[in-house]
Coordinates of all heavy atoms in Angstrom, one line a residue:
V150 N 4.6 -4.3 -1.0 CA 4.1 -4.2 -2.3 C 4.7 -2.9 -2.9 O 4.4 -1.8 -2.3 CB 2.5 -4.2 -2.4 CG1 2.1 -3.9 -3.8 CG2 2.0 -5.5 -1.8
L151 N 5.5 -3.1 -3.9 CA 6.1 -1.9 -4.6 C 5.3 -1.6 -5.8 O 5.3 -2.4 -6.8 CB 7.6 -2.2 -4.9 CG 8.4 -1.1 -5.5 CD1 8.5 0.1 -4.6 CD2 9.8 -1.6 -5.8
D152 N 4.5 -0.5 -5.7 CA 3.6 -0.1 -6.8 C 4.3 1.0 -7.6 O 4.2 2.2 -7.3 CB 2.3 0.3 -6.2 CG 1.2 0.4 -7.2 OD1 1.5 0.5 -8.4 OD2 0.0 0.6 -6.8
I153 N 5.0 0.6 -8.7 CA 5.7 1.5 -9.5 C 4.7 2.2 -10.5 O 3.9 1.4 -11.1 CB 6.8 0.9 -10.3 CG1 7.8 0.1 -9.4 CG2 7.5 1.8 -11.2 CD1 8.6 1.0 -8.5
G154 N 4.7 3.5 -10.6 CA 3.7 4.2 -11.4 C 2.3 4.0 -10.8 O 1.4 3.7 -11.6
C155 N 2.2 4.2 -9.5 CA 1.0 3.8 -8.8 C -0.2 4.6 -9.2 O -1.3 4.2 -9.0 CB 1.3 4.0 -7.3 SG 1.6 5.8 -6.8
G156 N -0.1 5.8 -9.8 CA -1.2 6.6 -10.1 C -2.1 6.8 -8.9 O -1.6 7.1 -7.9
A157 N -3.4 6.6 -9.0 CA -4.3 6.8 -8.0 C -4.4 5.6 -7.0 O -5.2 5.6 -6.1 CB -5.7 7.2 -8.5
G158 N -3.7 4.5 -7.4 CA -3.6 3.4 -6.4 C -4.4 2.1 -6.8 O -4.6 1.2 -6.0
A159 N -4.9 2.0 -8.1 CA -5.7 0.9 -8.5 C -5.0 -0.5 -8.3 O -5.6 -1.4 -7.8 CB -6.2 1.0 -9.9
G160 N -3.7 -0.5 -8.6 CA -3.0 -1.7 -8.5 C -2.8 -2.2 -7.0 O -3.1 -3.3 -6.7
S161 N -2.5 -1.2 -6.1 CA -2.4 -1.6 -4.7 C -3.8 -2.0 -4.2 O -3.8 -3.0 -3.4 CB -1.9 -0.3 -3.9 OG -0.6 0.0 -4.2
A162 N -4.9 -1.3 -4.5 CA -6.2 -1.6 -4.1 C -6.6 -3.0 -4.6 O -7.2 -3.8 -3.8 CB -7.2 -0.6 -4.5
A163 N -6.2 -3.3 -5.9 CA -6.6 -4.7 -6.4 C -5.8 -5.8 -5.6 O -6.4 -6.8 -5.3 CB -6.3 -4.7 -7.9
F164 N -4.6 -5.6 -5.3 CA -3.8 -6.6 -4.5 C -4.4 -6.7 -3.2 O -4.6 -7.9 -2.7 CB -2.3 -6.0 -4.4 CG -1.5 -7.0 -3.5 CD1 -0.9 -8.1 -4.1 CD2 -1.3 -6.8 -2.2 CE1 -0.1 -8.9 -3.4 CE2 -0.6 -7.7 -1.4 CZ 0.0 -8.7 -2.0
L165 N -4.8 -5.7 -2.5 CA -5.4 -5.8 -1.2 C -6.8 -6.5 -1.3 O -7.1 -7.3 -0.4 CB -5.6 -4.4 -0.5 CG -6.2 -4.3 0.8 CD1 -5.3 -5.2 1.8 CD2 -6.3 -3.0 1.4
E166 N -7.5 -6.2 -2.3 CA -8.8 -6.9 -2.4 C -8.6 -8.4 -2.6 O -9.4 -9.2 -2.0 CB -9.5 -6.4 -3.7 CG -10.9 -7.0 -4.0 CD -11.9 -6.8 -2.8 OE1 -11.8 -5.8 -2.1 OE2 -12.8 -7.7 -2.8
A167 N -7.5 -8.8 -3.4 CA -7.3 -10.2 -3.5 C -6.9 -10.9 -2.2 O -7.4 -12.0 -1.8 CB -6.1 -10.5 -4.5
I168 N -6.2 -10.2 -1.3 CA -5.8 -10.7 0.0 C -7.1 -10.8 0.9 O -7.3 -11.8 1.5 CB -4.8 -9.7 0.7 CG1 -3.5 -9.8 -0.1 CG2 -4.6 -10.1 2.2 CD1 -2.8 -11.1 -0.2
L169 N -7.9 -9.8 0.8 CA -9.2 -9.9 1.6 C -10.1 -11.0 1.2 O -10.6 -11.7 2.0 CB -10.0 -8.5 1.4 CG -9.3 -7.3 2.2 CD1 -10.0 -6.0 1.7 CD2 -9.4 -7.5 3.7
Q170 N -10.2 -11.3 -0.1 CA -11.0 -12.4 -0.6 C -10.4 -13.7 -0.1 O -11.1 -14.6 0.3 CB -11.1 -12.4 -2.1 CG -12.0 -11.3 -2.7 CD -12.0 -11.3 -4.1 OE1 -11.5 -12.1 -4.9 NE2 -12.7 -10.2 -4.7
L171 N -9.0 -13.9 -0.2 CA -8.4 -15.1 0.3 C -8.6 -15.3 1.8 O -8.9 -16.4 2.3 CB -6.9 -15.1 0.0 CG -6.5 -15.2 -1.5 CD1 -5.1 -15.0 -1.7 CD2 -6.9 -16.6 -2.0
K172 N -8.6 -14.2 2.6 CA -8.9 -14.3 4.0 C -10.3 -14.7 4.3 O -10.6 -15.5 5.2 CB -8.5 -13.0 4.7 CG -7.0 -12.8 4.8 CD -6.6 -11.7 5.8 CE -6.7 -12.0 7.3 NZ -6.0 -13.2 7.7
E173 N -11.3 -14.1 3.5 CA -12.7 -14.4 3.7 C -12.9 -15.9 3.4 O -13.8 -16.5 4.0 CB -13.5 -13.6 2.8 CG -13.7 -12.2 3.3 CD -14.4 -11.2 2.4 OE1 -15.0 -11.7 1.4 OE2 -14.4 -10.0 2.6
K174 N -12.2 -16.5 2.5 CA -12.4 -17.9 2.1 C -11.5 -18.8 3.0 O -11.4 -20.0 2.7 CB -12.0 -18.1 0.6 CG -12.9 -17.4 -0.3 CD -12.5 -17.5 -1.8 CE -13.4 -16.7 -2.7 NZ -12.9 -16.7 -4.1
N175 N -10.9 -18.3 3.9 CA -10.0 -19.0 4.8 C -8.8 -19.7 4.1 O -8.3 -20.7 4.6 CB -10.8 -20.0 5.7 CG -11.6 -19.3 6.8 OD1 -11.2 -18.3 7.4 ND2 -12.8 -19.8 7.0
K176 N -8.4 -19.2 3.0 CA -7.2 -19.6 2.3 C -5.9 -19.0 3.0 O -4.9 -19.5 2.8 CB -7.3 -19.3 0.9 CG -8.6 -19.8 0.2 CD -8.2 -20.7 -1.0 CE -9.5 -21.2 -1.5 NZ -9.4 -22.4 -2.2
I177 N -6.1 -17.9 3.6 CA -5.1 -17.3 4.5 C -5.7 -17.2 5.9 O -6.6 -16.5 6.1 CB -4.7 -15.9 3.9 CG1 -4.1 -15.9 2.5 CG2 -3.7 -15.3 4.9 CD1 -3.8 -14.6 2.0
T178 N -5.0 -17.9 6.8 CA -5.6 -17.8 8.2 C -4.6 -17.1 9.2 O -5.2 -16.8 10.3 CB -5.8 -19.3 8.7 OG1 -4.5 -20.0 8.6 CG2 -6.8 -20.0 7.8
N179 N -3.5 -16.8 8.8 CA -2.6 -16.2 9.7 C -2.7 -14.6 9.6 O -3.3 -14.2 8.7 CB -1.1 -16.6 9.5 CG -0.7 -16.3 8.1 OD1 -1.4 -16.6 7.1 ND2 0.5 -15.9 7.9
S180 N -2.1 -13.9 10.5 CA -2.1 -12.4 10.4 C -1.3 -12.0 9.2 O -0.3 -12.7 8.9 CB -1.5 -11.8 11.6 OG -2.3 -12.1 12.8
V181 N -1.7 -10.9 8.6 CA -1.0 -10.4 7.4 C -0.7 -8.9 7.7 O -1.5 -8.1 8.0 CB -1.9 -10.5 6.2 CG1 -1.2 -9.9 4.9 CG2 -2.3 -12.0 5.9
D182 N 0.6 -8.6 7.5 CA 1.1 -7.2 7.5 C 1.6 -6.8 6.1 O 2.4 -7.5 5.6 CB 2.2 -7.0 8.5 CG 1.8 -7.2 10.0 OD1 0.7 -7.2 10.3 OD2 2.7 -7.6 10.8
I183 N 1.1 -5.7 5.6 CA 1.5 -5.3 4.2 C 1.9 -3.9 4.3 O 1.3 -3.1 4.8 CB 0.3 -5.5 3.2 CG1 -0.3 -6.9 3.3 CG2 0.8 -5.1 1.8 CD1 -1.6 -7.0 2.5
L184 N 3.1 -3.7 3.7 CA 3.6 -2.3 3.5 C 3.5 -2.0 1.9 O 4.0 -2.8 1.1 CB 5.1 -2.2 3.9 CG 5.8 -0.9 3.5 CD1 5.0 0.3 4.2 CD2 7.3 -0.9 3.9
F185 N 2.7 -1.1 1.6 CA 2.6 -0.5 0.2 C 3.5 0.7 0.1 O 3.5 1.5 0.9 CB 1.1 -0.1 -0.1 CG 0.1 -1.2 -0.1 CD1 -0.6 -1.6 1.1 CD2 -0.1 -2.0 -1.2 CE1 -1.5 -2.6 1.1 CE2 -1.0 -3.0 -1.2 CZ -1.7 -3.3 -0.1
I186 N 4.3 0.6 -1.0 CA 5.1 1.8 -1.4 C 4.7 2.2 -2.8 O 4.9 1.5 -3.8 CB 6.6 1.5 -1.4 CG1 7.0 0.9 0.0 CG2 7.4 2.7 -1.8 CD1 8.5 0.5 0.0
G187 N 4.0 3.3 -2.8 CA 3.5 3.9 -4.1 C 4.6 4.8 -4.7 O 5.0 5.7 -4.0
V188 N 4.9 4.7 -5.9 CA 6.0 5.5 -6.6 C 5.3 6.1 -7.8 O 4.9 5.4 -8.7 CB 7.2 4.6 -6.9 CG1 8.2 5.5 -7.6 CG2 7.7 3.9 -5.8
D189 N 5.4 7.4 -7.9 CA 4.9 8.1 -9.1 C 5.5 9.5 -9.1 O 5.4 10.2 -8.1 CB 3.3 8.2 -9.0 CG 2.8 8.4 -10.5 OD1 3.1 9.5 -11.0 OD2 2.0 7.5 -10.9
P190 N 5.9 10.0 -10.2 CA 6.6 11.3 -10.3 C 5.5 12.4 -10.3 O 5.8 13.6 -10.1 CB 7.4 11.3 -11.6 CG 6.7 10.3 -12.4 CD 6.2 9.3 -11.5
S191 N 4.2 12.1 -10.6 CA 3.1 13.1 -10.6 C 2.7 13.4 -9.2 O 2.2 12.5 -8.5 CB 2.0 12.5 -11.5 OG 0.9 13.4 -11.3
L192 N 2.8 14.6 -8.9 CA 2.3 15.1 -7.5 C 0.8 14.9 -7.4 O 0.3 14.5 -6.3 CB 2.7 16.5 -7.3 CG 4.2 16.8 -7.0 CD1 4.4 18.3 -6.9 CD2 4.7 16.0 -6.0
Y193 N 0.1 15.1 -8.5 CA -1.4 14.9 -8.5 C -1.7 13.4 -8.2 O -2.5 13.1 -7.4 CB -2.0 15.3 -9.8 CG -3.5 15.2 -9.9 CD1 -4.4 16.0 -9.1 CD2 -4.0 14.1 -10.6 CE1 -5.7 15.8 -9.2 CE2 -5.4 14.0 -10.7 CZ -6.2 14.8 -10.0 OH -7.6 14.5 -10.0
A194 N -1.0 12.5 -9.0 CA -1.3 11.1 -8.8 C -0.9 10.6 -7.4 O -1.6 9.9 -6.7 CB -0.5 10.3 -9.8
I195 N 0.2 11.0 -7.0 CA 0.7 10.6 -5.6 C -0.2 11.1 -4.5 O -0.5 10.5 -3.5 CB 2.2 10.9 -5.3 CG1 2.8 9.9 -4.4 CG2 2.4 12.3 -4.7 CD1 3.1 8.6 -4.9
G196 N -0.8 12.3 -4.7 CA -1.8 12.8 -3.8 C -3.1 12.0 -3.7 O -3.6 11.7 -2.7
L197 N -3.5 11.5 -4.9 CA -4.7 10.6 -5.0 C -4.4 9.3 -4.3 O -5.2 8.7 -3.7 CB -5.1 10.4 -6.5 CG -5.7 11.6 -7.1 CD1 -6.0 11.3 -8.6 CD2 -7.0 12.0 -6.5
Y198 N -3.1 8.8 -4.5 CA -2.7 7.5 -3.9 C -2.7 7.6 -2.4 O -3.2 6.8 -1.8 CB -1.3 7.2 -4.4 CG -0.8 5.8 -3.9 CD1 -1.1 4.7 -4.5 CD2 0.1 5.7 -2.8 CE1 -0.7 3.4 -4.1 CE2 0.5 4.6 -2.3 CZ 0.1 3.4 -3.0 OH 0.6 2.1 -2.5
H199 N -2.2 8.7 -1.9 CA -2.2 8.9 -0.5 C -3.6 9.0 0.1 O -3.9 8.4 1.1 CB -1.4 10.3 -0.2 CG -1.3 10.4 1.3 ND1 -2.2 11.1 2.1 CD2 -0.2 10.2 2.1 CE1 -1.7 11.1 3.4 NE2 -0.6 10.5 3.4
Q200 N -4.5 9.7 -0.6 CA -5.9 9.8 -0.1 C -6.6 8.4 -0.1 O -7.2 8.1 0.9 CB -6.6 10.8 -1.0 CG -8.1 11.0 -0.6 CD -8.7 12.0 -1.5 OE1 -8.3 12.4 -2.5 NE2 -10.0 12.4 -1.1
L201 N -6.4 7.7 -1.2 CA -7.0 6.3 -1.3 C -6.5 5.4 -0.2 O -7.2 4.8 0.5 CB -6.7 5.7 -2.6 CG -7.2 4.3 -2.8 CD1 -8.7 4.2 -2.8 CD2 -6.6 3.6 -4.0
M202 N -5.2 5.4 0.0 CA -4.5 4.5 0.9 C -4.9 4.9 2.3 O -5.0 4.0 3.2 CB -3.1 4.3 0.7 CG -2.7 3.8 -0.7 SD -3.4 2.1 -1.1 CE -2.5 1.1 0.1
S203 N -5.0 6.2 2.6 CA -5.4 6.6 4.0 C -6.8 6.1 4.3 O -7.0 5.6 5.4 CB -5.4 8.2 4.1 OG -4.1 8.6 3.9
N204 N -7.6 6.2 3.3 CA -9.1 5.8 3.5 C -9.1 4.2 3.7 O -9.8 3.7 4.6 CB -9.9 6.2 2.4 CG -10.2 7.7 2.3 OD1 -10.1 8.3 3.3 ND2 -10.6 8.1 1.1
I205 N -8.3 3.5 2.9 CA -8.3 2.0 3.0 C -7.7 1.7 4.3 O -8.2 0.7 5.0 CB -7.5 1.4 1.9 CG1 -8.2 1.6 0.6 CG2 -7.1 0.0 2.1 CD1 -7.5 1.1 -0.7
K206 N -6.6 2.3 4.8 CA -6.0 2.0 6.0 C -7.0 2.1 7.2 O -7.1 1.3 8.1 CB -4.7 2.8 6.2 CG -4.0 2.5 7.5 CD -2.7 3.3 7.6 CE -2.0 2.9 8.9 NZ -0.7 3.7 9.1
L207 N -7.7 3.2 7.2 CA -8.7 3.4 8.2 C -9.8 2.3 8.2 O -10.2 1.8 9.3 CB -9.4 4.8 8.1 CG -8.6 6.0 8.6 CD1 -9.3 7.3 8.1 CD2 -8.3 6.0 10.0
S208 N -10.3 2.0 7.1 CA -11.3 0.9 6.9 C -10.7 -0.4 7.4 O -11.4 -1.2 8.1 CB -11.7 0.8 5.4 OG -12.6 -0.3 5.3
I209 N -9.5 -0.8 7.0 CA -8.9 -2.0 7.4 C -8.7 -2.1 8.9 O -9.0 -3.1 9.6 CB -7.6 -2.3 6.6 CG1 -7.8 -2.4 5.1 CG2 -6.8 -3.4 7.2 CD1 -8.7 -3.7 4.8
T210 N -8.2 -1.0 9.5 CA -7.9 -0.9 10.9 C -9.3 -1.1 11.7 O -9.2 -1.8 12.7 CB -7.3 0.4 11.3 OG1 -6.1 0.6 10.6 CG2 -7.0 0.5 12.8
D211 N -10.4 -0.6 11.2 CA -11.6 -0.7 11.9 C -12.3 -2.1 11.8 O -13.0 -2.4 12.6 CB -12.6 0.4 11.4 CG -12.1 1.8 11.9 OD1 -11.3 1.9 12.7 OD2 -12.6 2.7 11.3
N212 N -12.0 -2.8 10.7 CA -12.8 -4.0 10.3 C -12.0 -5.3 10.3 O -12.7 -6.3 10.2 CB -13.5 -3.8 8.9 CG -14.5 -2.6 9.0 OD1 -15.2 -2.5 9.9 ND2 -14.3 -1.7 8.0
H213 N -10.8 -5.3 10.4 CA -10.0 -6.5 10.2 C -8.9 -6.6 11.3 O -7.8 -5.9 11.1 CB -9.4 -6.6 8.8 CG -10.4 -6.6 7.8 ND1 -11.1 -7.8 7.4 CD2 -10.9 -5.6 7.0 CE1 -11.9 -7.4 6.4 NE2 -11.9 -6.2 6.2
D214 N -9.0 -7.4 12.3 CA -8.0 -7.5 13.4 C -6.8 -8.2 12.9 O -5.7 -7.9 13.3 CB -8.6 -8.3 14.5 CG -9.7 -7.6 15.2 OD1 -9.7 -6.3 15.1 OD2 -10.5 -8.2 15.9
S215 N -6.8 -9.2 12.0 CA -5.7 -9.9 11.5 C -5.0 -9.4 10.3 O -4.2 -10.0 9.7 CB -6.1 -11.4 11.4 OG -6.9 -11.5 10.3
L216 N -5.4 -8.2 9.9 CA -4.8 -7.6 8.7 C -4.3 -6.1 9.1 O -5.1 -5.4 9.5 CB -5.8 -7.5 7.6 CG -5.3 -6.9 6.2 CD1 -4.1 -7.7 5.7 CD2 -6.5 -6.9 5.2
K217 N -3.0 -5.9 8.9 CA -2.5 -4.6 9.2 C -1.8 -4.1 7.9 O -1.0 -4.8 7.3 CB -1.5 -4.7 10.4 CG -0.9 -3.4 10.7 CD 0.0 -3.7 11.9 CE 1.3 -2.9 11.7 NZ 2.4 -3.2 12.8
I218 N -2.1 -2.9 7.6 CA -1.4 -2.3 6.4 C -0.8 -0.9 6.8 O -1.3 -0.3 7.7 CB -2.4 -2.1 5.2 CG1 -3.4 -1.1 5.4 CG2 -3.0 -3.4 4.8 CD1 -4.1 -0.5 4.1
D219 N 0.2 -0.6 6.0 CA 0.8 0.7 6.1 C 1.2 1.0 4.7 O 1.3 0.2 3.8 CB 2.0 0.7 7.0 CG 2.4 2.1 7.5 OD1 1.7 3.1 7.2 OD2 3.5 2.2 8.1
F220 N 1.4 2.3 4.5 CA 1.8 2.7 3.1 C 2.8 3.9 3.2 O 2.8 4.7 4.2 CB 0.6 3.1 2.3 CG 0.0 4.4 2.7 CD1 0.2 5.6 2.1 CD2 -1.0 4.4 3.7 CE1 -0.4 6.8 2.5 CE2 -1.7 5.6 4.1 CZ -1.4 6.7 3.5
K221 N 3.6 4.0 2.2 CA 4.5 5.1 2.0 C 4.4 5.6 0.6 O 4.1 4.9 -0.3 CB 6.0 4.7 2.2 CG 6.2 4.1 3.6 CD 6.0 5.1 4.7 CE 6.3 4.4 6.1 NZ 5.9 5.2 7.2
C222 N 4.7 7.0 0.4 CA 4.6 7.5 -0.9 C 5.9 8.1 -1.4 O 6.6 8.7 -0.6 CB 3.6 8.7 -1.0 SG 1.9 8.2 -0.6
V223 N 6.3 7.8 -2.6 CA 7.5 8.3 -3.2 C 7.2 9.1 -4.3 O 6.6 8.7 -5.3 CB 8.5 7.1 -3.6 CG1 9.8 7.7 -4.2 CG2 8.8 6.3 -2.4
K224 N 7.5 10.4 -4.2 CA 7.0 11.4 -5.2 C 8.0 11.7 -6.4 O 8.2 12.8 -6.8 CB 6.7 12.7 -4.5 CG 5.7 12.6 -3.4 CD 5.6 13.9 -2.6 CE 4.7 13.6 -1.4 NZ 4.6 14.7 -0.5
F225 N 8.9 10.7 -6.7 CA 9.8 10.9 -7.7 C 9.7 9.7 -8.7 O 9.2 8.7 -8.4 CB 11.3 10.9 -7.1 CG 11.5 11.8 -6.0 CD1 11.6 11.4 -4.7 CD2 11.5 13.1 -6.2 CE1 11.8 12.2 -3.6 CE2 11.7 14.1 -5.2 CZ 11.9 13.6 -3.9
G226 N 10.3 10.0 -9.9 CA 10.5 8.9 -10.8 C 11.9 8.3 -10.7 O 12.6 8.7 -9.7
F227 N 12.2 7.3 -11.5 CA 13.5 6.8 -11.5 C 14.5 7.6 -12.2 O 14.1 8.2 -13.2 CB 13.4 5.3 -12.1 CG 12.7 4.4 -11.1 CD1 11.4 4.0 -11.2 CD2 13.5 3.7 -10.1 CE1 10.9 3.2 -10.3 CE2 13.0 2.8 -9.3 CZ 11.6 2.6 -9.3
P228 N 15.8 7.6 -11.7 CA 16.4 6.8 -10.7 C 16.3 7.5 -9.3 O 16.7 6.9 -8.4 CB 17.8 6.8 -11.2 CG 18.0 8.0 -11.9 CD 16.7 8.3 -12.6
K229 N 15.7 8.7 -9.3 CA 15.7 9.4 -8.0 C 14.9 8.7 -6.9 O 15.2 8.8 -5.8 CB 15.2 10.8 -8.2 CG 15.4 11.8 -7.0 CD 14.9 13.2 -7.4 CE 15.2 14.1 -6.3 NZ 14.7 15.5 -6.5
A230 N 13.9 8.0 -7.3 CA 13.0 7.2 -6.4 C 13.8 6.1 -5.6 O 13.3 5.7 -4.5 CB 11.8 6.7 -7.1
I231 N 14.8 5.6 -6.2 CA 15.5 4.4 -5.6 C 16.0 4.7 -4.1 O 15.8 3.9 -3.3 CB 16.7 4.0 -6.4 CG1 16.2 3.5 -7.8 CG2 17.5 2.9 -5.7 CD1 17.3 3.2 -8.8
T232 N 16.5 5.9 -3.9 CA 16.9 6.1 -2.5 C 15.7 6.1 -1.5 O 15.9 5.5 -0.4 CB 17.6 7.5 -2.4 OG1 18.7 7.6 -3.3 CG2 18.0 7.9 -1.0
D233 N 14.7 6.7 -1.8 CA 13.5 6.7 -0.9 C 12.9 5.3 -0.8 O 12.5 4.9 0.3 CB 12.4 7.6 -1.4 CG 12.7 9.0 -1.1 OD1 13.9 9.4 -0.6 OD2 11.9 10.0 -1.4
I234 N 12.9 4.5 -1.8 CA 12.3 3.2 -1.8 C 13.2 2.3 -0.8 O 12.7 1.6 0.0 CB 12.3 2.5 -3.1 CG1 11.3 3.2 -4.0 CG2 12.1 1.0 -3.0 CD1 11.4 2.8 -5.5
N235 N 14.5 2.5 -1.0 CA 15.5 1.7 -0.1 C 15.3 2.1 1.4 O 15.3 1.3 2.3 CB 16.9 1.9 -0.5 CG 17.3 1.1 -1.7 OD1 16.8 0.0 -2.0 ND2 18.2 1.7 -2.5
I236 N 15.1 3.4 1.6 CA 14.9 3.8 3.0 C 13.6 3.2 3.6 O 13.6 2.7 4.7 CB 14.8 5.4 3.1 CG1 16.2 6.0 2.8 CG2 14.3 5.9 4.5 CD1 16.2 7.5 2.6
H237 N 12.6 3.3 2.9 CA 11.3 2.6 3.4 C 11.4 1.2 3.6 O 10.9 0.6 4.6 CB 10.1 3.0 2.4 CG 9.8 4.4 2.3 ND1 9.6 5.2 3.4 CD2 9.6 5.2 1.2 CE1 9.2 6.4 3.0 NE2 9.3 6.5 1.7
L238 N 12.1 0.5 2.7 CA 12.3 -1.0 2.9 C 13.1 -1.3 4.0 O 12.8 -2.3 4.8 CB 12.8 -1.6 1.6 CG 11.9 -1.6 0.4 CD1 12.6 -2.1 -0.9 CD2 10.7 -2.5 0.6
K239 N 14.1 -0.5 4.3 CA 15.0 -0.8 5.5 C 14.3 -0.5 6.8 O 14.5 -1.2 7.8 CB 16.2 0.0 5.4 CG 17.2 -0.4 4.3 CD 18.4 0.5 4.3 CE 19.4 0.0 3.2 NZ 20.5 0.9 2.9
N240 N 13.4 0.5 6.8 CA 12.6 0.8 8.0 C 11.6 -0.2 8.2 O 11.1 -0.4 9.4 CB 12.1 2.3 7.9 CG 13.1 3.3 8.0 OD1 14.2 3.1 8.6 ND2 12.9 4.4 7.5

């Protein structure tokens, strides 16, 4: 999930909530691995994104065996962010 202008992470959190609801309703039965890449030029916003996603990752790891998430933060705007995004996607 590429979250451009991620701010504090509301978009990423909403996406994950939708996945969790689908899993609870057994509409998704297989394991799910999600990589979130938050992109925002604001150091304050990207700090909030990192904090939120760290907390979510701990919660998911403890409570959901078939759901694995990871996240990366890109602290630049465009076009400078493109290099970091490509590196995260390749890895």
Side-chain angles (χ1 to χ4, degrees):
V150 175
L151 186 56
D152 192 346
I153 305 294
C155 64
S161 292
F164 178 86
L165 183 58
E166 179 62 28
I168 296 298
L169 289 170
Q170 288 179 8
L171 290 170
K172 285 192 75 57
E173 287 175 9
K174 295 176 182 176
N175 288 322
K176 304 236 179 206
I177 298 176
T178 56
N179 57 318
S180 294
V181 177
D182 294 338
I183 305 171
L184 172 62
F185 292 94
I186 302 175
V188 180
D189 202 299
S191 167
L192 292 177
Y193 179 73
I195 209 73
L197 291 173
Y198 184 82
H199 187 274
Q200 183 178 10
L201 173 73
M202 296 307 290
S203 293
N204 291 339
I205 288 174
K206 184 176 178 178
L207 285 173
S208 174
I209 293 299
T210 302
D211 291 344
N212 298 312
H213 300 277
D214 293 334
S215 65
L216 179 60
K217 182 177 139 188
I218 70 164
D219 198 7
F220 70 94
K221 304 295 180 188
C222 298
V223 178
K224 302 172 190 172
F225 306 109
F227 283 94
K229 193 174 180 182
I231 293 170
T232 301
D233 285 3
I234 292 168
N235 283 332
I236 290 168
H237 294 312
L238 291 173
K239 286 178 184 176
N240 290 334

